[in-house]
Amino acid sequence: MPPILLPASAAAFAPRSTPNIVLGSKAEKWLTDTLKRTNRVKRPLNSVSQHYRCLTETLSPPSAVWTLCSLMLPKAPETELRKDDNPLVEALFNYQMLAIEAYIVHVDMVSQHEVAFKLTPETIETLVEYHKDIHSVDTAAATWNWSEKEIQLKKLQDDFKQSINRFVYRTHALALEGLEEDGSGELLRGKSEEVRSAIMGLFLPLLPPPPRVVDVVHPTPLLPSSTGADNWWQSTMSQPQQSSMESWGVLPSSPNTTSGDASSSMWASMGLNEMQLPSPSSSFSETYSTECESPPQYYSAPMTSAPYTAAMTMASIPQLPLPSTLLQQQCSTGMGFGGFDWGRYQDLALPFAM
């Protein structure tokens, strides 16, 4: 899409001047009919130059002002409006009709086929006063107070003044069909609604600053070395109990006792007849060997089909040495582990049952 070029008269705060008109090599029929209808003095329109001259003279005078749309605006801020049960009375006393007027600054019948309108100085001044006296008061009352509210409100007014002076409405060139004899005219085909929406979109609300993000301060976690006195005493008192309990982990078959002295006396007083072993369901034999100087020896459980009795079982169990006597013996020259003489394993042979 080629860039849209507008004349200098369409710039913000630029004074009005003769409109810039660009016609094609052949004049449109609808344009010829419009110029014949609006001309008071009959003149020939047989060439493009005659159309150009006639259109320029019609759109150049100060009276050539178009009415783009009409706006119904309140006469005072919302807090000062009159309250009445009859809505018609409220509309008559509280609202006013403002005509949005503009003049033509550009006509392009070659590339864009469009016509451009710029607001008149009177319309711009009226809109700026309304924004400052009424719109700014209402939008400021609708927001909460903060330190820079007045500065932001002043900036909002300056931005509106700049935007309304730069406002240029462009539409299709067929809008020239609404041209009148003195160069004035009105937009046809529902184009007035587009202008109304575009102008009302320039009245922006006053936006307060976003809320500040507050950093959540988490408490500093306590280090293990900074625990209280109660926890320190509890940890120190629990250590001897844990060590005493862990020492019995190597004797899974020992009874439930609480001290080492009681356990040694229990082993010394317990006889072989007080021990209870489960009756084996079946017998088997298994070979054990060790790499030592003595020759390999074997043992096997007694082979019998009769059920074991308690007396037979206890009679076949040899005398077991106590754990205290095992720890006092010296290690032999054979291969041993943990101070235990593997050469005496036949003395500790026990029948095993599956």
Side-chain angles (χ1 to χ4, degrees):
M1 182 177 180
I4 300 175
L5 300 178
L6 296 177
S9 59
F13 306 100
R16 182 175 181 177
S17 61
T18 303
N20 181 32
I21 300 175
V22 180
L23 300 179
S25 58
K26 182 180 180 180
E28 300 287 344
K29 186 178 184 303
W30 64 265
L31 180 59
T32 303
D33 296 340
T34 301
L35 294 178
K36 288 181 178 181
R37 177 177 55 84
T38 58
N39 285 334
R40 298 177 180 178
V41 178
K42 301 300 178 179
R43 63 176 67 184
L45 297 173
N46 299 324
S47 62
V48 176
S49 58
Q50 292 176 352
H51 285 78
Y52 175 83
R53 188 181 305 107
C54 179
L55 188 59
T56 302
E57 293 175 359
T58 304
L59 300 177
S60 296
S63 60
V65 176
W66 287 58
T67 301
L68 301 182
C69 66
S70 297
L71 299 179
M72 182 174 288
L73 303 175
K75 297 179 180 179
E78 186 177 0
T79 56
E80 301 178 8
L81 295 179
R82 178 177 177 177
K83 305 298 181 181
D84 196 281
D85 297 336
N86 191 349
L88 182 59
V89 175
E90 287 188 355
L92 292 176
F93 284 92
N94 297 333
Y95 292 90
Q96 59 182 341
M97 189 69 69
L98 175 62
I100 304 299
E101 297 180 343
Y103 55 89
I104 295 177
V105 295
H106 178 63
V107 177
D108 183 7
M109 301 290 294
V110 178
S111 60
Q112 302 298 325
H113 295 277
E114 68 175 7
V115 56
F117 296 88
K118 187 178 182 345
L119 300 181
T120 60
E122 294 78 12
T123 301
I124 293 175
E125 183 180 358
T126 303
L127 291 175
V128 170
E129 291 178 357
Y130 166 78
H131 186 278
K132 179 180 178 180
D133 300 336
I134 300 176
H135 177 75
S136 298
V137 175
D138 290 341
T139 189
T143 56
W144 49 275
N145 296 326
W146 67 94
S147 58
E148 299 180 355
K149 183 176 182 179
E150 295 298 331
I151 298 176
Q152 295 295 328
L153 188 62
K154 180 64 176 177
K155 183 177 182 299
L156 184 68
Q157 297 173 0
D158 295 340
D159 293 343
F160 176 80
K161 186 176 181 180
Q162 293 289 334
S163 60
I164 200 65
N165 276 274
R166 291 194 303 264
F167 180 78
V168 174
Y169 175 68
R170 295 191 296 267
T171 185
H172 198 272
L174 290 175
L176 293 175
E177 292 180 343
L179 185 64
E180 301 294 337
E181 294 182 356
D182 55 351
S184 62
E186 294 181 359
L187 292 178
L188 305 177
R189 304 179 182 181
K191 298 297 183 180
S192 297
E193 188 64 30
E194 295 182 1
V195 180
R196 185 181 296 107
S197 300
I199 292 179
M200 294 306 297
L202 300 178
F203 291 90
L204 302 177
L206 180 63
L207 299 178
R212 297 180 179 179
V213 179
V214 180
D215 296 335
V216 179
V217 180
H218 297 282
T220 305
L222 296 177
L223 299 176
S225 59
S226 61
T227 55
D230 298 339
N231 297 334
W232 183 81
W233 282 106
Q234 293 177 2
S235 61
T236 55
M237 293 298 292
S238 61
Q239 289 179 359
Q241 298 179 2
Q242 294 178 359
S243 60
S244 61
M245 295 299 294
E246 291 175 358
S247 62
W248 287 99
V250 298
L251 299 174
S253 60
S254 63
N256 235 347
T257 58
T258 57
S259 64
D261 298 339
S263 63
S264 60
S265 61
M266 181 177 297
W267 279 99
S269 61
M270 182 180 294
L272 296 177
N273 296 331
E274 297 178 2
M275 299 176 59
Q276 296 181 2
L277 295 176
S279 300
S281 58
S282 62
S283 60
F284 69 97
S285 61
E286 188 175 357
T287 303
Y288 284 82
S289 63
T290 55
E291 297 178 3
C292 58
E293 297 177 358
S294 61
Q297 300 182 14
Y298 303 90
Y299 75 96
S300 61
M303 303 296 293
T304 178
S305 59
Y308 286 98
T309 61
M312 295 174 62
T313 304
M314 300 305 300
S316 62
I317 300 175
Q319 294 294 330
L320 294 175
L322 297 177
S324 58
T325 61
L326 293 176
L327 296 177
Q328 295 176 1
Q329 296 177 0
Q330 298 296 328
C331 298
S332 64
T333 58
M335 183 179 295
F337 296 91
F340 181 75
D341 185 7
W342 285 96
R344 301 180 65 251
Y345 76 92
Q346 64 272 12
D347 296 337
L348 301 178
L350 292 175
F352 292 90
M354 294 297 295

